[in-house]
């Protein structure tokens, strides 16, 4: 065997060793490096998301007092006890602000919460919209028509107030309709435990604008009051406003609590 052949074989063996070293040594390390780099990028992205969430939570923590006050205000709209003195105070305040003269304000009995039906829209296109949504066998619902003079305007204002009040309470009614459907004909409280108290108010107002202001004062108070019905009729010294309200009571915080 010549010296050149030995040198060639040695070179080939060296090259083979280098190739094997690269394949079995260097390439796995390179692959692991890329995997570690990818994992590092994912961890960095996750940490950035966590930092954003922590920043938002810190901002919310700084607003904790404001959030607690807002929650307390919402809870106060539907208290866990009737608190009818508050309701009558709201009626008196609304009457004073609108220029209405109260004739009477009486309460009814505490009753389970009853979901209200869909509101009846008022306006020129209300009849066509109602006809399209009502089954053929159902009788048409009378719509308010524009009358002449103060009484006609007042009746239209009262009809519009009925529609607005029904629409305002429809969201609350839909939340408990499923629970009531699950137990039809129940004689006690509704499934959600909510209750309502009817309140009837009779007042004398100078005109339709004062009647609207009185109803707006009732609906805009801190206590949640639903105007179930409002009707205006001619009276002595102005117009007589008859309002049926509903004051709501939240479930009692403890089981078996009595009213």
């Amino acid at each position: 065997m010549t010296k050149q052949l030995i040198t060639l074989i040695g070179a080939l063996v060296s090259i083979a060793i280098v190739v094997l070293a690269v394949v079995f040594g260097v390439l796995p390390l390179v692959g692991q490096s890329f995997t570690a780099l990818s994992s590092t990028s994912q961890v960095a992205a996750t940490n950035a998301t966590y930092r954003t969430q922590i920043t938002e939570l810190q901002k919310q923590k700084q607003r904790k007092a404001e959030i607690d006050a807002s929650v307390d205000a919402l809870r106060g709209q539907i208290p866990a006890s009737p608190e009818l003195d508050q309701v009558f105070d709201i009626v008196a305040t609304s009457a004073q602000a609108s220029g209405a003269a109260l004739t009477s304000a009486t309460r009814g009995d505490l009753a389970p919460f009853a979901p209200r039906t869909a509101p009846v829209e008022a306006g020129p296109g209300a009849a066509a919209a109602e006809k399209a949504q009502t089954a053929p066998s159902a009788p048409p619902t009378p719509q308010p028509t524009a009358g002449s003079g103060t009484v006609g305007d007042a009746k239209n204002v009262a009809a519009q107030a009925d529609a607005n009040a029904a629409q305002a309470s429809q969201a609350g009614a839909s939340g408990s309709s499923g629970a009531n459907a699950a137990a039809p004909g129940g004689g006690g409280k509704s499934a959600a435990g909510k209750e309502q108290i009817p309140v009837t108010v009779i007042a004398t107002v100078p005109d339709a604008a004062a009647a609207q202001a009185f109803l707006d004062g009732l609906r805009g108070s801190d206590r949640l009051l639903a105007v179930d019905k409002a009707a205006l009729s001619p009276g002595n010294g102005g117009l007589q406003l008859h309002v049926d309200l509903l004051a709501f009571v939240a479930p009692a915080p403890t089981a078996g609590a009595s009213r």
Side-chain angles (χ1 to χ4, degrees):
M1 182 178 294
T2 62
K3 183 177 180 180
Q4 294 179 348
L5 183 58
I6 295 175
T7 303
L8 179 61
I9 294 173
L12 292 175
V13 172
S14 300
I15 293 173
I17 294 173
V18 172
V19 170
L20 292 175
V22 170
V23 171
F24 294 102
V26 177
L27 290 181
L29 293 177
V30 172
Q32 293 176 2
S33 299
F34 281 115
T35 302
L37 182 61
S38 177
S39 300
T40 301
S41 301
Q42 293 178 358
V43 171
T46 303
N47 290 339
T49 302
Y50 288 155
R51 281 195 295 269
T52 302
Q53 294 177 352
I54 291 173
T55 302
E56 292 297 327
L57 291 175
Q58 289 175 345
K59 292 180 180 179
Q60 295 296 328
K61 183 179 180 180
Q62 294 175 356
R63 297 179 56 247
K64 185 177 184 300
E66 177 185 350
I67 295 173
D68 290 342
S70 178
V71 171
D72 291 339
L74 292 176
R75 288 175 177 171
Q77 291 185 359
I78 305 181
S81 59
E83 298 185 13
L84 290 176
D85 290 343
Q86 181 188 30
V87 175
F88 292 133
D89 287 342
I90 293 171
V91 172
T93 302
S94 300
Q96 182 178 5
S98 61
L102 285 177
T103 302
S104 64
T106 57
R107 60 157 290 177
D109 296 330
L110 190 67
F113 173 77
R116 305 177 69 189
T117 58
V120 178
E121 297 182 359
E130 183 186 0
K131 184 177 180 180
Q133 296 178 359
T134 306
S137 59
T141 302
Q143 298 297 326
T145 57
S148 59
T150 304
V151 176
D153 294 339
K155 289 182 178 180
N156 284 342
V157 170
Q160 183 65 40
D162 285 345
N164 294 341
Q167 186 175 10
S169 65
Q170 183 63 21
S174 62
S176 63
S177 59
N180 291 334
K189 295 183 180 180
S190 62
K194 293 182 290 186
E195 296 172 304
Q196 62 187 26
I197 305 174
V199 179
T200 301
V201 178
I202 299 176
T204 301
V205 294
D207 50 29
Q212 184 67 61
F214 179 69
L215 296 176
D216 290 341
L218 296 176
R219 290 192 292 261
S221 61
D222 294 335
R223 175 75 178 267
L224 181 61
L225 299 176
V227 179
D228 190 55
K229 181 181 179 182
L232 278 170
S233 60
N236 296 329
L239 300 173
Q240 187 179 69
L241 176 62
H242 185 110
V243 183
D244 291 337
L245 299 173
L246 290 175
F248 302 103
V249 180
T254 57
S258 59
R259 299 275 186 239

